[in-house]
Amino acid sequence: MSWRLFVAAEIPAAPRHALAGAVAGLRGSVPGARWVAEEAWHVTLCFLGATDPERVDAVAGVAREAAAAGRPVALRLAGLGAFPNERRARVVWVGLEGAEPLGAVAAALADGSARLGFPREDRPWRPHLTIARLRVPGPVDLGPGLGIGVGLRTEEFGVTEIVLFRSHLNRSGAVYEGLGRFPLGPPGL
């Protein structure tokens, strides 16, 4: 049996709560959306997918190396958007300000996981926090008429580590189990 793995940065409780309050009004305006539970919000850096449990140590080694080559960052959740766009949305997301240093970590994770034989993502990494998925792609209105959108901006918060997660899928959504935590920056900082 394989494990579904990914590496992500967690969002602390305070900005998650602030964001939850700010986007609460969206729930009724995006028909057919499946909303991600606030406790599950994270910033995916590398999705590995189905992985043999015997390879977890090797994946953890890649995550440890990538984290050590990075550095702690200060982020802010800001703005709303949709993938691939607002006319045919499949995902509703919140953007991140200050995430450029995490891009280097995401690239190191992609390189390291490719060395282990995992396929590379076709699209470039785009820092975001997924808050909803649409079962059927369709238009979403994330404009200023909702009173959020561009004006959405949380207080700054720090990210000092990345986490290797195992995803358990069930009827009510995914449950994430942390398998390893890796501090950003060289050891001893």
Side-chain angles (χ1 to χ4, degrees), residues 19-35:
L19 176 61
V23 299
L26 269 181
R27 289 185 179 269
S29 65
V30 184
R34 201 170 22 115
W35 295 91

Side-chain angles (χ1 to χ4, degrees), residues 43-58:
V43 178
T44 301
L45 300 170
C46 183
F47 180 77
L48 300 160
T51 305
D52 186 317
E54 292 180 7
R55 299 183 74 197
V56 170
D57 287 342

Side-chain angles (χ1 to χ4, degrees), residues 66-82:
R71 63 182 170 88
V73 296
L75 302 176
R76 188 183 313 267
L77 298 170
L80 292 168

Side-chain angles (χ1 to χ4, degrees), residues 46-50 55 109-110 113-122:
C46 183
F47 180 77
L48 300 160
R55 299 183 74 197
L109 287 164
S113 59
R115 284 193 308 272
L116 294 178
F118 289 92
R120 283 190 180 271
E121 177 67 44
D122 294 337

Side-chain angles (χ1 to χ4, degrees), residues 83-107:
F83 290 136
N85 56 53
E86 289 185 29
R87 292 179 314 282
R88 269 189 52 76
R90 293 192 65 81
V91 169
V92 177
W93 52 262
V94 175
L96 290 163
E97 291 179 353
E100 293 80 14
L102 285 180
V105 174

Side-chain angles (χ1 to χ4, degrees), residues 151-166:
L152 172 67
R153 198 161 189 247
T154 66
E155 293 294 319
E156 195 172 81
F157 60 91
V159 172
T160 60
E161 67 182 9
I162 61 174
V163 184
L164 172 60
F165 283 105
R166 178 181 178 192

